Amino acid sequence: MGTTTGRRVGRPRAMQRPDSGMSARDELLLAAAELFTTRGYAATTTRAVAESAGMRQATMYHYFTGKEDLLAELLESTVTPSLTLARALLADDGRPAEDRLWELCRSDVGLLCRGPHNLGALYLLPEVQGERFQRFHGVRAELKAAYGQLLSATTAGSELSRLERALRTDLVFGLIEGVILIHRGTPGRAVSGLAAAMADAALRIVGASRSGEPVISRP
Amino acid sequence: MGTTTGRRVGRPRAMQRPDSGMSARDELLLAAAELFTTRGYAATTTRAVAESAGMRQATMYHYFTGKEDLLAELLESTVTPSLTLARALLADDGRPAEDRLWELCRSDVGLLCRGPHNLGALYLLPEVQGERFQRFHGVRAELKAAYGQLLSATTAGSELSRLERALRTDLVFGLIEGVILIHRGTPGRAVSGLAAAMADAALRIVGASRSGEPVISRP
DNA sequence: ATTATCTATAGATCTATAGATAATGC
DNA sequence: ATTATCTATAGATCTATAGATAATGC
């Protein structure tokens, strides 16, 4: 019943390492996140993922059917928490939409930059167009729709044409997802500051501002 | 001396195709651009590039030392025209900085979206961190510096702190390079409209606006 | 008995080189 | 003679499966 070493079911691993506390599945996901973002998805072999997680190549197939499976799972895990927050914010219609949009932006930047690794960069992979990623695309589309709804609920947003609203939603969503480009450029910078700055920028793109903060204007 | 077929030096190609008019080198670059952006860099084999350019795999090595060589050349070709324009705009200090920054943004969006292919997406490749891409990074850094200078020369930009200027430069540069994310999401939209909208958004992030156009503000 | 892992490997690549060949140029 | 291409291939992978093994659980 203790958590002493060597108490797990199954043949022991060949390469012994201190117990990470994670499940083998999670060890694989973490290793994959690290390697996919650092070396690239296609450039990462199943062997690299498995060994990096402390097991032999073939063992990986006990948990995932292949590399695509790992990637799909990682992508979904990046978007799902954002969507949960977005839904909560949409429901909370007591607060000004400006504030809620700002918070969603800030939170997303944090998630993208801090996450296990910069998974955001994986959105751009051509491989992600494939059918296996349908579910990811679904979740992501719903998240984007939430951005659109919040944007439309702002004072500035409500004055825009339907087309213009769609365009600005794309711009804001693109800015936030593109944070990876920015973060990679200057990785030293504090994420919290960046997140707030990006959320501010998003509102400026909409033409709105947080309650309390005046619209920027020159004297 | 005519441009009739079968008049070229060297052994004829195995797979005959209508003369593209391009040099074999350019045919390879074009094929690589297409495949790298559609299928991904690492997922593209040297065979795929060569055959797609109308020649056999081994022939590619007559022109490039490998895949990296192709990628480096493609990346540089995307940034160089932007830098040329940026230099010209920096020198042209008769016009308001706001207008020049706007033009640079708009032109870059056009280049990134229209180019031979969406090469912008390749910026994110982890492979591009390598030493072989030093020159590309140099040119790109110079382009970013130009963005910074133009931004600082705007009225709104000049009022910002040094740190805040650097941050907003990152945001604007990130927004523009991230246009790929936006463009991929809705490829149907006209590039010219998108380019103008992105340039507008960039100025809004800075807190500036084009001469003539007032700063957006609510009644 | 069940489970998590291992070792071994077939089959399918992919890269990069060696050397041959079929054009034009002189 | 020079050039652009070809064919052939060695050597190095990499993926995914088959089947063995070493733990715990009952």
Side-chain angles (χ1 to χ4, degrees):
Chain A
M1 25 178 68
T3 36
T4 348
T5 18
R7 291 272 172 220
R8 276 173 310 190
V9 161
R11 178 170 175 175
R13 295 188 176 174
M15 261 191 63
Q16 303 242 34
R17 285 203 303 197
D19 189 349
S20 72
M22 286 182 292
S23 70
R25 213 180 129 73
D26 285 348
E27 287 179 316
L28 284 167
L29 283 169
L30 186 66
E34 160 88 38
L35 291 169
F36 289 173
T37 51
T38 338
R39 302 193 196 171
Y41 173 68
T44 300
T45 66
T46 55
R47 156 160 281 122
V49 173
E51 304 268 278
S52 167
M55 62 193 76
R56 291 291 150 84
Q57 187 252 348
T59 307
M60 197 197 84
Y61 288 84
H62 191 66
Y63 299 98
F64 296 93
T65 64
K67 259 202 307 185
E68 283 218 332
D69 208 19
L70 280 164
L71 180 58
E73 183 108 0
L74 284 173
L75 285 175
E76 284 167 35
S77 75
T78 323
V79 192
T80 305
S82 297
L83 184 56
T84 305
L85 174 62
R87 282 177 176 149
L89 288 170
L90 273 178
D92 184 15
D93 54 5
R95 296 168 55 201
E98 286 78 2
D99 293 9
R100 290 180 283 154
L101 180 57
W102 190 88
E103 190 174 325
L104 181 57
C105 289
R106 200 201 39 176
S107 164
D108 271 0
V109 169
L111 282 169
L112 284 170
C113 292
R114 273 191 274 258
H117 286 280
N118 290 358
L119 290 170
L122 300 178
Y123 289 11
L124 282 179
L125 288 172
E127 288 88 351
V128 178
Q129 303 308 101
E131 198 178 342
R132 173 70 186 77
F133 299 94
Q134 209 104 3
R135 201 164 38 152
F136 161 68
H137 287 301
V139 180
R140 183 166 167 272
E142 208 186 319
L143 178 60
K144 187 170 164 184
Y147 268 88
Q149 280 193 259
L150 284 175
L151 183 150
S152 301
T154 64
T155 314
S158 69
E159 290 163 0
L160 299 172
S161 74
R162 190 176 194 69
L163 212 80
E164 187 68 23
R165 276 204 295 253
L167 180 55
R168 300 222 182 172
T169 303
D170 287 354
L171 292 177
V172 167
F173 200 62
L175 175 72
I176 299 300
E177 283 199 338
V179 69
I180 297 309
L181 282 162
I182 296 166
H183 186 54
R184 181 175 292 175
T186 47
R189 196 177 10 227
V191 172
S192 59
L194 177 63
M198 299 245 353
D200 287 340
L203 287 196
R204 257 177 268 139
I205 287 180
V206 176
S209 64
R210 250 190 312 168
S211 63
E213 298 231 341
V215 168
I216 287 144
S217 73
R218 285 173 283 154
Chain B
M1 23 175 77
T3 37
T4 348
T5 18
R7 290 271 172 221
R8 277 174 309 190
V9 160
R11 179 171 174 174
R13 295 188 176 175
M15 262 192 62
Q16 303 241 34
R17 285 203 303 196
D19 190 347
S20 72
M22 286 182 290
S23 70
R25 214 182 129 75
D26 285 348
E27 286 179 317
L28 284 166
L29 284 169
L30 186 66
E34 161 87 38
L35 292 168
F36 289 172
T37 51
T38 339
R39 302 193 194 170
Y41 172 67
T44 300
T45 66
T46 55
R47 156 161 281 120
V49 173
E51 304 267 278
S52 166
M55 64 193 77
R56 290 291 151 83
Q57 188 252 347
T59 307
M60 198 198 84
Y61 289 84
H62 192 64
Y63 299 99
F64 295 93
T65 63
K67 260 203 305 185
E68 283 219 331
D69 208 19
L70 279 164
L71 180 58
E73 183 109 1
L74 284 172
L75 286 174
E76 284 167 35
S77 75
T78 323
V79 192
T80 305
S82 298
L83 184 56
T84 305
L85 173 62
R87 281 178 177 149
L89 287 170
L90 274 178
D92 184 15
D93 53 5
R95 296 168 57 200
E98 286 78 1
D99 293 9
R100 290 181 284 155
L101 179 58
W102 191 88
E103 190 174 324
L104 181 57
C105 289
R106 199 199 41 176
S107 163
D108 271 0
V109 169
L111 282 168
L112 284 169
C113 291
R114 272 191 274 256
H117 286 279
N118 290 358
L119 290 170
L122 301 177
Y123 289 10
L124 281 179
L125 289 172
E127 289 87 350
V128 178
Q129 303 307 100
E131 198 178 342
R132 172 70 186 79
F133 300 93
Q134 208 104 3
R135 201 164 38 153
F136 162 67
H137 287 302
V139 180
R140 183 166 168 273
E142 207 186 319
L143 177 61
K144 186 169 165 187
Y147 268 88
Q149 279 192 260
L150 284 175
L151 183 150
S152 301
T154 64
T155 314
S158 70
E159 289 164 1
L160 300 171
S161 74
R162 190 175 192 70
L163 212 79
E164 188 67 25
R165 276 203 295 250
L167 180 54
R168 300 221 180 172
T169 303
D170 287 354
L171 292 177
V172 167
F173 200 62
L175 175 73
I176 300 300
E177 283 198 338
V179 69
I180 297 308
L181 282 162
I182 298 166
H183 186 55
R184 181 175 293 174
T186 47
R189 198 182 2 233
V191 172
S192 59
L194 178 62
M198 299 247 351
D200 287 341
L203 286 196
R204 258 178 268 139
I205 288 180
V206 176
S209 65
R210 249 190 312 168
S211 62
E213 298 231 340
V215 168
I216 288 144
S217 74
R218 285 173 284 154

